[in-house]
Every structure is written in structure tokens, then in C-alpha cells.
């Protein structure tokens, strides 16, 4: 007796229609956030976004009923990034060069300087800054996404901003001038 057709309703190819719409609408945003988290590695950013969408697809029934599935997707993305950083092979070596740097923004040199500075921060500090200031999340939302107490998020945020100012030094003033 074949149970595969009796246990689950048939899914259209490519997944439920609402998941496909969600993935199409939020996919680019996930890649951009992952790009910041990875310090400018566009290939890894695409891989992390794909992994996030894959994990989300597996849990779509529950995730689609949440108040904010996009915030849940961001949390899954951050967790995928942190998991990647923990399991990264010791044969990989970080480099100070970017494989791909886009010139889509109004000031590419400012963008590259900020990405290089973010890359020099510890992984947890980078995640806190990206979620708090790039994603414009509250302290509580960031704490929930990173599974940290809100006081730790505030402390990390303050210290990470101070480190970022030290790393940037005078280079940000030079880039700000026309």
C-alpha cells in the first residue's frame, strides 16, 4: 500500500503559491542582508539566502501563520550565517579583497569602506549592527533573533559602534566630502 499520496495533499511544483510569492518578494532583501553579514561575499550571500529559503520552505505551514514571516526569515538567515561561521573549514582563509564589488549605489567608495570596516568586526557584533541599523530592528527584535538578552544587544551595539569608529578612523570624513 502506497502511503505517499494519502498522508499529504498534493503540492504544486515549486511549492505552495504563497511561498513562491513570499520568496520572490523577499529573496532580494535576504541576499542584500546576507551580503552585509558576510562582509561583501556575494556568492556566500546567495548561498545563505538560498539555504534560508530552503529552511523556510520546510516550515512554511507554521511560518506563514506568524504575524511577520519576513522577520522570521531574517532570523533564519542570521542563524544560517552564524552556523556557517561556526562550521567553516580551517582550510579557508579570509582575504582583504572582495571578489565582487558593485557600483550600484551613489557612492561605491563609501560602500566598500563600510563593508571592509564591518568585515573587521567580530561575527556577533556584525550581526547586531546589521540587524539593529541596516534592518532597523528594535533591541528586543534583535535580541530574539540572536537569542541574546536585550541588555547584551545594547552593550554589543554600543561597543561594536565604537569599534567601527576606530576601524573607520578619518577615512569616513574623507569619503563624505564631494
Amino acid at each position: 500500500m502506497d502511503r505517499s499520496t494519502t498522508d499529504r495533499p498534493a503540492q504544486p511544483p515549486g511549492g505552495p503559491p504563497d511561498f513562491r510569492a513570499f520568496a520572490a518578494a523577499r529573496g532580494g532583501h535576504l541576499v542584500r542582508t546576507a551580503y552585509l553579514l558576510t562582509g561583501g561575499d556575494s556568492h556566500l550571500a546567495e548561498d545563505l539566502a538560498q539555504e534560508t529559503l530552503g529552511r523556510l520552505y520546510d516550515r512554511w505551514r507554521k511560518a506563514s501563520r506568524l504575524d511577520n514571516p519576513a522577520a522570521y526569515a531574517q532570523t533564519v538567515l542570521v542563524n544560517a550565517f552564524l552556523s556557517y561561521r561556526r562550521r567553516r573549514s580551517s582550510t579557508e582563509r579570509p582575504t582583504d579583497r572582495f571578489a565582487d564589488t558593485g557600483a550600484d549605489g551613489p557612492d561605491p567608495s563609501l560602500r566598500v569602506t563600510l563593508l571592509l570596516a564591518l568585515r573587521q568586526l567580530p561575527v556577533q557584533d556584525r550581526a547586531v549592527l546589521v540587524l539593529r541599523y541596516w534592518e532597523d530592528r528594535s533591541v528586543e527584535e534583535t535580541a530574539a533573533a540572536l537569542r541574546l538578552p536585550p541588555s547584551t544587544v545594547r552593550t554589543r551595539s554600543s561597543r561594536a559602534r565604537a569599534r567601527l569608529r576606530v576601524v573607520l578612523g578619518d577615512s569616513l570624513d574623507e569619503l563624505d566630502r564631494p
Side-chain angles (χ1 to χ4, degrees):
M1 175 184 229
D2 183 21
R3 290 185 177 192
S4 62
T5 58
T6 59
D7 289 347
R8 294 184 187 169
Q11 294 281 340
D18 53 335
F19 175 78
R20 285 185 280 172
F22 177 83
R26 299 297 297 174
H29 187 75
L30 290 171
V31 171
R32 285 189 297 276
T33 300
Y35 185 78
L36 290 170
L37 287 171
T38 61
D41 186 342
S42 63
H43 301 292
L44 178 58
E46 291 171 0
D47 289 346
L48 288 172
Q50 183 66 33
E51 184 176 340
T52 298
L53 290 173
R55 289 180 184 179
L56 196 58
Y57 178 80
D58 287 340
R59 300 178 192 104
W60 184 245
R61 276 193 170 148
K62 289 183 181 181
S64 64
R65 291 185 294 230
L66 294 172
D67 289 337
N68 190 353
Y72 178 73
Q74 292 296 114
T75 300
V76 172
L77 174 68
V78 170
N79 289 337
F81 168 68
L82 294 173
S83 175
Y84 165 79
R85 294 294 300 186
R86 282 191 295 267
R87 72 174 185 258
R88 189 177 70 179
S89 171
S90 62
T91 60
E92 294 181 23
R93 300 286 179 235
T95 180
D96 61 345
R97 296 180 305 147
F98 289 109
D100 296 327
T101 54
D104 297 334
D107 189 358
S109 57
L110 175 61
R111 188 179 185 102
V112 170
T113 301
L114 289 173
L115 284 172
L116 286 170
L118 274 174
R119 187 181 231 181
Q120 293 180 31
L121 295 177
V123 175
Q124 283 279 2
D125 288 350
R126 188 182 324 157
V128 166
L129 287 181
V130 168
L131 289 176
R132 284 281 293 128
Y133 300 104
W134 178 262
E135 293 295 323
D136 199 26
R137 287 195 181 185
S138 69
V139 171
E140 291 75 21
E141 291 172 329
T142 303
L146 296 174
R147 296 183 184 143
L148 297 171
S151 60
T152 302
V153 170
R154 284 190 288 274
T155 302
R156 276 193 174 277
S157 177
S158 175
R159 290 179 183 166
R161 284 192 328 248
R163 286 184 189 129
L164 197 58
R165 283 187 204 103
V166 169
V167 168
L168 288 172
D170 296 331
S171 62
L172 195 57
D173 292 334
E174 294 169 9
L175 291 170
D176 194 31
R177 294 184 194 132

